[in-house]
Amino acid sequence: LVFEDSRSDVQTARTITEKLINQDKVVMLTGQYSSAETYPTAQIAQQYGIPFLVSTAAADEITRQGWKYIFRMDQPSSEFDNGLKDFLEKTAKPSTMAILYENTLFGTSTAAAMRDWAQKAGVRVVMYEAYDAGSPDFKPLLLRVKQRSPELVYMVSYLLDAVLLMRQSKEVDL
């Protein structure tokens, strides 16, 4: 096994993927956490004909290409929240929702899938807004959500943003 760390950086992911294939002569790739680093890794693996097992990245675009050498362990983002969607449709039955999502490949694809579901389920989306991942202050965004009074607020983010979003949601009494 050969290990490398992309440090969640797209260019580093490209560089180490090329190194693993061309210098280390690996016969298969796996790993990467976020969709932003996984997508270019998949492109390179496909180009070289090296199997790549995607372990966590969820953006549909990674496997939607129909690439021959790219495989995934987890469901894509369009299916990411199937359990939640089922619960909302059968139990919670909200009539309105706000969708907040980070402007990354993961965030945009997951939010789009939820928006599509809401439309089919008859849930009116009163706000659909992207934010910059790593933002230091979400209060203005959260206050705009609060003004629209949705029954459900759906947020797509990685851990650090999620913690801050939850903390600041409480601070603005959302």
Side-chain angles (χ1 to χ4, degrees), residues 83-145:
L84 174 62
K85 292 170 189 171
D86 187 58
F87 167 77
L88 293 174
E89 201 165 332
K90 293 178 180 175
T91 305
K93 301 179 182 178
S95 60
T96 60
M97 72 184 300
I99 300 174
L100 307 178
Y101 59 97
E102 63 178 42
N103 61 353
T104 63
L105 192 56
F106 166 68
T108 57
S109 60
T110 305
M114 182 58 81
R115 181 189 59 206
D116 294 346
W117 169 85
Q119 183 179 16
K120 290 174 190 166
V123 178
R124 187 168 57 91
V125 177
V126 298
M127 187 171 175
Y128 184 79
E129 191 165 331
Y131 64 84
D132 291 332
S135 295
D137 184 12
F138 294 110
K139 287 180 184 176
L141 174 65
L142 295 169
L143 288 170
R144 288 196 306 277
V145 171

Side-chain angles (χ1 to χ4, degrees), residues 13-31:
R14 286 186 179 110
T15 301
I16 65 173
T17 301
E18 292 276 353
K19 176 194 172 289
L20 287 166
I21 293 170
N22 294 316
Q23 292 178 25
D24 297 328
K25 305 293 185 196
V26 298
V27 296
M28 179 183 168
L29 296 166
T30 190

Side-chain angles (χ1 to χ4, degrees), residues 118-171:
Q119 183 179 16
K120 290 174 190 166
V123 178
R124 187 168 57 91
V125 177
V126 298
M127 187 171 175
Y128 184 79
E129 191 165 331
Y131 64 84
D132 291 332
S135 295
D137 184 12
F138 294 110
K139 287 180 184 176
L141 174 65
L142 295 169
L143 288 170
R144 288 196 306 277
V145 171
K146 186 176 176 176
Q147 289 174 340
R148 302 209 177 149
S149 302
E151 292 180 304
L152 169 68
V153 180
Y154 176 78
M155 301 178 192
V156 183
S157 62
Y158 287 110
L159 181 60
L160 294 178
D161 286 346
V163 169
L164 185 57
L165 279 160
M166 291 298 95
R167 184 177 296 130
Q168 291 183 348
S169 290
K170 185 174 181 172
E171 290 172 9

Side-chain angles (χ1 to χ4, degrees), residues 13 18 33 40 44 50 55 59 61 98 103 130 155 157:
E18 292 276 353
Y33 174 70
I44 295 167
I50 300 293
S55 55
E61 290 79 2
N103 61 353
M155 301 178 192
S157 62

Side-chain angles (χ1 to χ4, degrees), residues 13-14 17 29 32 37-46 52 70:
R14 286 186 179 110
T17 301
L29 296 166
Q32 294 294 12
E37 290 81 48
T38 301
Y39 189 81
T41 299
Q43 287 177 312
I44 295 167
Q46 178 65 30
F52 176 33
I70 311 306

